Amino acid sequence: MNRLFTVVNVLGKMILVFGLTMFIPLGVALWGDDGAQPVFEESIVITFSSGLVMWLATRRYHRELQIKDGFLLVVLVWSVLPAFAMLPLLFYLPELNLSMAYFEAVSGLTATGGTVLSGLDKLPPSINIWRGEIVWLGGMGLIVLAVAILPLLGVGGRQLLNAEIPGPMKENKLTPRIAETAKGLWSIYAGLTVMCAITYKWAGMEWFDAVMHAFTTLGLGGFSSHDASYGYWDSPLIESVAIIFMLIAGINFATHFLAWRGKNLIPYRYDSEVGWCVVIIFFSCFGLAFYLWFNNVYTEPLIALRYATFNIVSVATTTGYSNTDYSLWPMFAPLWMLFLSAFCSSSGSTGGGMKMIRVRILYQQVYREIVTLMHPNAVIPAKVGRSVLANRVIFSVLVFLFVYSASILLMALALTLSGLDAVTSFSAAVACINNLGPGLGGIGPATTYALLTDLQIWICSFAMLLGRLEFFTVLAIFVPAFWRK
Amino acid sequence: MNRLFTVVNVLGKMILVFGLTMFIPLGVALWGDDGAQPVFEESIVITFSSGLVMWLATRRYHRELQIKDGFLLVVLVWSVLPAFAMLPLLFYLPELNLSMAYFEAVSGLTATGGTVLSGLDKLPPSINIWRGEIVWLGGMGLIVLAVAILPLLGVGGRQLLNAEIPGPMKENKLTPRIAETAKGLWSIYAGLTVMCAITYKWAGMEWFDAVMHAFTTLGLGGFSSHDASYGYWDSPLIESVAIIFMLIAGINFATHFLAWRGKNLIPYRYDSEVGWCVVIIFFSCFGLAFYLWFNNVYTEPLIALRYATFNIVSVATTTGYSNTDYSLWPMFAPLWMLFLSAFCSSSGSTGGGMKMIRVRILYQQVYREIVTLMHPNAVIPAKVGRSVLANRVIFSVLVFLFVYSASILLMALALTLSGLDAVTSFSAAVACINNLGPGLGGIGPATTYALLTDLQIWICSFAMLLGRLEFFTVLAIFVPAFWRK
Ligand SMILES: [K+]
Ligand SMILES: [K+]
């Protein structure tokens, strides 16, 4: 239990900082006089006092964090922060119950972007900006998680991730250096967000929408302030801006960091994921545009290409925007898109799913297996890019895949058992575990998760956390050995 | 190309032997004067002459077989024999096109048991006995494949399979000893088939049905001579006999062999699969019976248990019989059954899917992964039963799982692309790759594969072969390196 107190001590401090971020929507509420001020004031008071109590009550357990603490901290951050993030929603919307409010907050902080809310256009701006902000904060936390913390914890072969990155990110302890790395990554993340917001404004959005969507574009979180998502503007220019920034946010931020520090583009060439992601998405856009045109969904090839491209990039990068209800397209189209969402983002990005690097390692391993079958004594090194992989890393990646597939299957079965139809169940499991957002059937891009029962909502919330924290972080704390000295 | 000729030489001899087996349905046709005699006569002539030509034309390439030859032979046997097995069907049923006839024959020889035929009750007995016989022959070939050939080829971690089996099965070359092993296995297989037929007769079947269903029970192939499958008899006694023999056929025949040779039951206790299979199936039966009763599908708990048990055992062992249209049950029930079909049979049985031993290894590896996360320097041996596994074997198993899942996904996507709905596509992919037979939606237990288009039929035929030959055997021959010297 001492471990729990040590970690709660850190968590308390993080909750205090998190409370500070609520002043932004409070400011928006005051400035626009949109009626949500009291809601944010109450939320800030509760968040601050909780954080303070947690921090002070556990002060004497303060010490440097160890590996096991890392697991626990990560799980607690992503499961406890939503309980505070949901407060403004819970207070402002009386029709929202606890399950739904927590779901919405988890969906934000895991950058999933599936929503239980409709009538978004009529919500106070401060509530919508808060929804966007938690996606953005979640994305920020995520980059650090993926680039600095998970590799230290060794989750799912994450050690590999930084094999090609020199310097501070390669340390082997949870040291203050993480803070330095984090600062560099965050500057880039924040800089890109500002650029994105300005470009959105230039392309035709209102300032408020530009900022809110810049938050959810860089976080790849898919929340919108309009029920119709990007269908609201129906503007190819705005969609192009979104496409560019979604692709940028789908790249490893460590690569952006190296490129920015070295002031050149070479790091992108040596990135072992970005090329594959771009090529697969590129061909999928043209292929699906042809398929839509061939099936008479759109009679104009260019219109088909526009809708195919925007929705594919959105789903493949696990953003979750849409500019039309693609769940009405012939079934292969949305299924292919869900398939892409499983592996088309890079590790170290704000995207979800298995990550391209793991798929490359798997591919490599299948090739090795076939060669070894024919030449049982051959020794073939496993290489991705310039790095030779240790068996340990390959094992982690293969086991990760197994746990990933098994989780999707078991979550889908659990949803079916609770009474949901097969297509909705499976697409919900995929959409939540990949942190994508919209699924198909009852939870398609034109609808929301609100039709689910409370139990189903909780299953989805758990699935989002599981996917976001890469399974093992969560599973580890359920193993009895974790709690032994 | 020399390799191809060497293998075709062996294949020619096998086709000659296969031609001999057609005398059984010919005899049935003559004895019952059911009108199918000319059809079998023509088929026998074509099969014999083809086999003879292949054998004689390649006689000078005869030599001892090597590993690569083994891959090629296995693929050719399972893809070329159906072209002869389908002849009687093609000749007798003018409405059957080539795609469908080949599908039916592949479905038989891979012991899948999905059919494109309806009006089974009105087919000549000789045609039905031939359908049963190819399942039985396929099952016989399969046991040798699984117990003796694949382990030598090292496919998908198959080396492990025989780790606990002493004697002839552990040789490391394709030697005549395989013939000895095969003989022992086949005697048991044949003996059990005779026992099964007699018990079916005793339980109330006609002799003809008893023999035909004994063929498909031991082969776990699911073909029936009645459109209603076991619903035709509506007899709990007959169903109980089927349940017992399906479970027996779902156990590793090498274990049966050891038990029979040693005249005791100890080998079953040391079998690392049978216990798990039985426990999972047992709890699934009671769980699903409760679920059906709870959802008011059956108001009598015992009736619910009867239907749950028969259909679960049938699907979990990948047999494919049914005594009711379980695709009409609430969705969780058939999905759970399809899920079980993926891993509830033993290696070395006539069942399909991943096999329980691989799942145990995966489970073991997940556990190792979690412990290693917490204690990065710990060395935990991977053990299943009393055997310690080499990394090489674990890699093979993990990669097998990846290829298995990816195949199901890609086959399902291909079927969706061809225009099939999502539930039918995914269940068809699962049912074909697991060599189960019936799926859900358009190809549920109450219907047939006949509604599929030719292209879809070919995709399914390929999926059955892929699953039956454990992927790598098939994939290997598509790799350019395979054909190099
Ligand atoms: K998302
Ligand atoms: K079967």
Side-chain angles (χ1 to χ4, degrees):
Chain A
M1 289 308 282
N2 284 4
R3 180 180 313 285
L4 187 60
F5 294 141
T6 304
V7 171
V8 167
N9 183 258
V10 182
L11 185 66
K13 276 184 273 184
M14 294 179 75
I15 289 171
L16 284 174
V17 175
F18 188 67
L20 284 179
T21 67
M22 288 184 184
F23 281 99
I24 294 176
L26 178 64
V28 171
L30 287 169
W31 190 64
D33 196 21
D34 65 8
Q37 305 93 312
V39 154
F40 284 103
E41 285 161 5
E42 288 166 42
S43 305
I44 289 174
V45 170
I46 295 178
T47 306
F48 265 120
S49 33
S50 308
L52 213 59
V53 168
M54 286 163 80
W55 177 39
L56 296 178
T58 55
R59 223 171 7 164
R60 64 192 183 86
Y61 295 96
H62 177 78
R63 59 166 167 73
E64 207 170 293
L65 296 184
Q66 298 158 353
I67 284 192
K68 282 187 182 181
D69 305 324
F71 284 96
L72 194 56
L73 179 61
V74 165
V75 174
L76 286 181
V77 167
W78 260 270
S79 56
V80 172
L81 281 194
F84 296 99
M86 74 176 175
L87 294 178
L89 302 167
L90 201 58
F91 295 156
Y92 189 82
L93 298 161
E95 72 273 23
L96 214 64
N97 68 20
L98 186 85
S99 323
M100 293 166 101
Y102 185 79
F103 172 94
E104 189 81 5
V106 169
S107 178
L109 277 166
T110 58
T112 305
T115 186
V116 290
L117 303 177
S118 45
L120 299 173
D121 304 70
K122 287 182 189 140
L123 284 182
S126 57
I127 294 282
N128 271 328
I129 210 83
W130 177 238
R131 290 171 72 237
E133 195 189 325
I134 55 175
V135 168
W136 191 76
L137 292 171
M140 190 177 249
L142 211 66
I143 294 171
V144 180
L145 183 71
V147 176
I149 299 177
L150 290 181
L152 297 191
L153 302 185
V155 166
R158 277 285 186 179
Q159 312 91 309
L160 167 93
L161 187 63
N162 295 342
E164 301 182 14
I165 296 183
M169 283 165 256
K170 275 182 105 175
E171 286 293 308
N172 211 11
K173 274 189 305 174
L174 296 173
T175 65
R177 284 214 177 169
I178 288 178
E180 283 176 47
T181 310
K183 229 164 85 180
L185 295 169
W186 287 350
S187 312
I188 289 164
Y189 184 66
L192 284 168
T193 308
V194 171
M195 279 170 60
C196 180
I198 294 171
T199 325
Y200 271 144
K201 173 72 178 102
W202 164 81
M205 279 190 189
E206 296 294 308
W207 266 119
F208 165 75
D209 274 340
V211 172
M212 195 256 180
H213 287 82
F215 277 159
T216 58
T217 303
L218 265 295
L220 295 178
F223 276 160
S224 175
S225 51
H226 302 287
D227 287 335
S229 191
Y230 278 59
Y232 172 81
W233 294 283
D234 194 18
S235 152
L237 184 62
I238 287 181
E239 287 164 18
S240 308
V241 175
I243 288 171
I244 291 168
F245 280 96
M246 286 190 284
L247 289 173
I248 289 176
I251 295 174
N252 193 334
F253 275 81
T255 306
H256 290 316
F257 179 65
L258 291 179
W260 173 75
R261 208 177 48 183
K263 306 276 177 272
N264 65 52
L265 298 178
I266 295 172
Y268 296 104
R269 216 172 62 204
Y270 287 114
D271 184 300
S272 37
E273 299 174 283
V274 60
W276 286 51
C277 292
V278 168
V279 167
I280 290 173
I281 290 176
F282 182 85
F283 283 103
S284 292
C285 291
F286 281 93
L288 221 58
F290 175 80
Y291 175 79
L292 293 176
W293 172 80
F294 185 81
N295 280 279
N296 283 314
V297 180
Y298 300 102
T299 46
E300 280 291 315
L302 279 177
I303 301 290
L305 188 60
R306 171 186 162 192
Y307 284 100
T309 305
F310 181 77
N311 293 291
I312 284 182
V313 171
S314 165
V315 173
T317 57
T318 72
T319 313
Y321 295 142
S322 59
N323 59 358
T324 183
D325 186 359
Y326 56 75
S327 69
L328 300 177
W329 290 350
M331 203 57 182
F332 173 73
L335 286 181
W336 183 257
M337 288 158 66
L338 284 184
F339 175 59
L340 293 182
S341 78
F343 60 91
C344 276
S345 14
S346 301
S347 54
S349 75
T350 48
M354 284 189 273
K355 310 291 179 308
M356 181 56 83
I357 187 76
R358 294 208 180 87
V359 174
R360 283 200 61 184
I361 294 174
L362 286 164
Y363 175 83
Q364 179 77 19
Q365 194 58 26
V366 171
Y367 172 80
R368 273 177 95 194
E369 182 69 25
I370 290 176
V371 174
T372 318
L373 280 179
M374 285 180 286
H375 308 284
N377 300 319
V379 175
I380 309 124
K383 282 183 77 172
V384 167
R386 294 165 301 170
S387 327
V388 175
L389 307 177
N391 276 356
R392 170 88 191 81
V393 170
I394 304 175
F395 270 136
S396 298
V397 170
L398 290 168
V399 171
F400 177 91
L401 176 94
F402 169 65
V403 173
Y404 171 87
S405 331
S407 301
I408 287 183
L409 204 56
L410 292 175
M411 288 293 156
L413 284 171
L415 288 172
T416 322
L417 181 58
S418 74
L420 214 54
D421 68 283
V423 169
T424 306
S425 297
F426 275 88
S427 67
V430 170
C432 289
I433 285 183
N434 284 346
N435 298 111
L436 162 59
L440 300 173
I443 52 152
T447 130
T448 76
Y449 280 77
L451 69 80
L452 302 190
T453 65
D454 279 359
L455 174 66
Q456 291 160 353
I457 289 271
W458 283 106
I459 295 174
C460 288
S461 299
F462 181 67
M464 291 188 280
L465 287 173
L466 207 55
R468 191 41 103 192
L469 305 183
E470 312 229 313
F471 308 99
F472 290 98
T473 332
V474 181
L475 295 180
I477 68 163
F478 287 113
V479 176
F482 182 87
W483 296 99
R484 267 179 237 129
K485 245 301 177 209
Chain B
M1 288 309 279
N2 284 6
R3 177 180 317 283
L4 186 60
F5 295 140
T6 304
V7 171
V8 167
N9 183 259
V10 182
L11 185 65
K13 276 183 275 187
M14 294 178 75
I15 289 171
L16 284 174
V17 175
F18 189 65
L20 284 178
T21 66
M22 287 185 184
F23 281 99
I24 293 176
L26 178 63
V28 172
L30 287 169
W31 191 63
D33 194 21
D34 65 8
Q37 305 91 313
V39 153
F40 283 104
E41 284 160 7
E42 288 165 42
S43 305
I44 288 173
V45 170
I46 296 178
T47 306
F48 265 121
S49 34
S50 308
L52 211 59
V53 168
M54 286 163 78
W55 177 36
L56 295 179
T58 55
R59 220 171 8 162
R60 65 193 183 85
Y61 294 96
H62 177 79
R63 58 164 171 74
E64 206 171 291
L65 296 184
Q66 297 157 355
I67 283 193
K68 281 188 183 180
D69 305 323
F71 283 98
L72 195 54
L73 180 62
V74 165
V75 174
L76 285 182
V77 166
W78 260 270
S79 55
V80 172
L81 282 194
F84 296 99
M86 74 176 174
L87 294 178
L89 302 167
L90 201 58
F91 295 156
Y92 188 82
L93 298 161
E95 73 273 21
L96 213 64
N97 67 21
L98 185 86
S99 323
M100 292 164 101
Y102 185 79
F103 173 94
E104 189 81 7
V106 169
S107 178
L109 277 165
T110 58
T112 305
T115 185
V116 290
L117 303 177
S118 44
L120 300 173
D121 304 70
K122 286 181 188 139
L123 284 181
S126 56
I127 294 283
N128 270 330
I129 210 82
W130 177 237
R131 291 170 71 235
E133 195 189 325
I134 56 175
V135 168
W136 190 76
L137 292 171
M140 190 177 249
L142 210 67
I143 295 171
V144 180
L145 183 72
V147 176
I149 300 177
L150 290 181
L152 297 191
L153 302 185
V155 166
R158 277 285 188 180
Q159 311 91 309
L160 166 93
L161 187 60
N162 294 343
E164 300 182 16
I165 296 183
M169 284 165 255
K170 274 182 106 177
E171 287 294 305
N172 210 9
K173 273 190 303 173
L174 295 174
T175 65
R177 285 217 176 163
I178 288 177
E180 284 176 44
T181 310
K183 232 165 80 182
L185 295 169
W186 287 350
S187 313
I188 287 163
Y189 185 65
L192 284 168
T193 308
V194 172
M195 278 169 60
C196 181
I198 293 171
T199 324
Y200 271 144
K201 173 73 179 102
W202 164 80
M205 280 193 188
E206 295 295 308
W207 266 121
F208 165 75
D209 274 340
V211 172
M212 196 258 179
H213 287 82
F215 277 159
T216 59
T217 303
L218 264 294
L220 295 179
F223 275 160
S224 175
S225 52
H226 303 287
D227 287 335
S229 191
Y230 278 59
Y232 172 82
W233 293 282
D234 195 16
S235 152
L237 184 61
I238 288 182
E239 288 164 16
S240 308
V241 175
I243 288 171
I244 291 167
F245 280 96
M246 288 190 284
L247 289 173
I248 289 175
I251 295 174
N252 194 336
F253 275 81
T255 305
H256 290 315
F257 179 65
L258 291 179
W260 173 74
R261 210 178 47 185
K263 308 273 175 274
N264 64 53
L265 297 178
I266 296 171
Y268 296 104
R269 215 174 61 203
Y270 287 115
D271 185 301
S272 35
E273 298 174 284
V274 61
W276 286 52
C277 291
V278 168
V279 167
I280 291 173
I281 291 176
F282 182 84
F283 283 104
S284 291
C285 291
F286 282 93
L288 222 57
F290 176 79
Y291 176 77
L292 293 176
W293 171 80
F294 185 80
N295 279 277
N296 282 314
V297 180
Y298 300 102
T299 44
E300 280 293 313
L302 278 177
I303 302 288
L305 188 60
R306 170 186 163 192
Y307 284 100
T309 305
F310 182 76
N311 294 290
I312 283 182
V313 171
S314 166
V315 173
T317 58
T318 73
T319 313
Y321 295 141
S322 59
N323 60 358
T324 183
D325 186 358
Y326 56 75
S327 70
L328 300 178
W329 290 350
M331 203 58 182
F332 173 73
L335 286 180
W336 183 258
M337 289 158 67
L338 285 183
F339 176 60
L340 293 182
S341 78
F343 60 89
C344 275
S345 19
S346 300
S347 54
S349 74
T350 49
M354 284 189 273
K355 310 289 181 305
M356 182 57 82
I357 187 76
R358 293 209 180 87
V359 174
R360 282 201 60 186
I361 294 174
L362 287 164
Y363 176 82
Q364 179 75 21
Q365 194 58 27
V366 172
Y367 173 79
R368 272 176 97 195
E369 183 67 25
I370 290 176
V371 175
T372 318
L373 280 179
M374 283 180 287
H375 307 284
N377 300 320
V379 176
I380 309 123
K383 283 184 77 172
V384 166
R386 293 166 302 171
S387 329
V388 175
L389 307 177
N391 274 355
R392 170 88 190 81
V393 169
I394 305 175
F395 270 136
S396 297
V397 170
L398 290 169
V399 170
F400 177 91
L401 174 94
F402 170 66
V403 173
Y404 170 88
S405 332
S407 299
I408 287 182
L409 203 56
L410 292 175
M411 289 293 158
L413 284 171
L415 288 171
T416 320
L417 182 57
S418 74
L420 215 55
D421 69 284
V423 169
T424 306
S425 296
F426 275 89
S427 67
V430 170
C432 289
I433 284 184
N434 284 346
N435 298 111
L436 162 59
L440 301 173
I443 52 153
T447 130
T448 76
Y449 280 76
L451 69 81
L452 302 190
T453 65
D454 280 359
L455 174 66
Q456 290 160 354
I457 289 271
W458 283 106
I459 294 174
C460 287
S461 299
F462 182 67
M464 290 189 279
L465 288 172
L466 207 55
R468 191 41 102 189
L469 305 183
E470 313 228 314
F471 309 99
F472 290 98
T473 333
V474 181
L475 295 181
I477 69 162
F478 286 114
V479 175
F482 183 87
W483 296 98
R484 268 178 238 131
K485 249 290 174 216

